[in-house]
Amino acid sequence: MKELVGTGVALITPFNSDFSVDMEGLKNVVNFSIENGIDYLVVLGTTAESATLSKEEKQLVINTIVSANNGRLPLVLGIGGNNTQEVISEMKTRDLSAFTAILSVSPFYNKPTQEGIYQHFAAIANAAPLPIILYNVPGRTASNMLPETVIRLANDFEKIIAIKEAAGDIVQAMKLISGCPKDFLVISGDDMITLPMVLAGGAGVISVIGEGFPKEFSKMVKLGLDRKVDEAYEIHYKIAPAIDYIFAEGNPAGIKTVFKSLGICGDTVRLPLVGVSDGLRTKIDSFIKNF
């Protein structure tokens, strides 16, 4: 899956002021990413506010992105949840012809054991029509998918080809890189430690900040993959303050503020999320102006 090495971005869902899906804004976001060096696009992940999209809106978002992309970049679709059979049903009934892989989050709220997590993904892998990227994000799921579980899944199922690792733990990431099969992709899900993970042997990132600064962030990842360490870290430290800013009051409120400052789309989010404070907005606007 070499097409998933490098920088992927977790696309937002822009909304109009009446909270309807802003299709023109979404097209702008897609084109901005493609025209500035992003390697692949992730559709309907957490950053897309998929939890607050109806079934019809999800299909609208998919159709809009597929059309705007027009075959230019590989697409990954988020299909995950804490109801194993519902995840399998969605995979089997949704048209996946435009997609390269499925990103599936570890079950949230239920707090399964490691064996429960294994069996959840085993069932998904056995039913999946496309390769699966595991997604470990303990800050949202309330459980950590341990390296031993990931390594077991990676060895037992050919359909499981990668993990988006967002525990924010570089030691855990290194255990994955060293313990998983060589062709298994360990992808950073944490923007701040993307470069260290790449230099440790990771395959790249599925990024939020890369959506707002695609040219610079994707260049940093490429430099890291090419082992041009000093040049890569120079970019990392320039972007690092923005990474802190966009997550300071929640995702995707922060990155939507970046897009509004850039004039690409609005910054409306849906409840229970709210927009960023005036103070944080000022910091983000100032960073972009000086950057």
Side-chain angles (χ1 to χ4, degrees), residues 192 195-196 220 229-243 287 291:
M192 193 62 85
L195 184 54
M220 181 199 78
V229 180
D230 292 341
E231 294 171 67
Y233 266 114
E234 186 176 347
I235 297 173
H236 166 85
Y237 286 117
K238 285 181 180 178
I239 294 179
I243 297 173
F287 179 88
F291 190 82

Side-chain angles (χ1 to χ4, degrees), residues 137-157:
V137 56
R140 290 186 180 272
T141 64
S143 65
N144 183 23
M145 185 160 40
L146 296 177
E148 294 80 5
T149 303
V150 177
I151 292 165
R152 185 181 168 200
L153 286 164
N155 281 302
D156 289 354
F157 299 97

Side-chain angles (χ1 to χ4, degrees), residues 171-214:
V171 175
Q172 179 161 301
M174 288 192 290
K175 288 180 180 178
L176 291 170
I177 292 164
S178 64
C180 288
K182 288 191 176 181
D183 59 349
F184 185 85
L185 305 180
V186 178
I187 300 167
S188 175
D190 187 315
D191 287 334
M192 193 62 85
I193 63 170
T194 291
L195 184 54
M197 279 185 64
V198 167
L199 294 173
V205 64
I206 294 175
S207 176
V208 178
I209 195 67
E211 199 171 358
F213 301 88

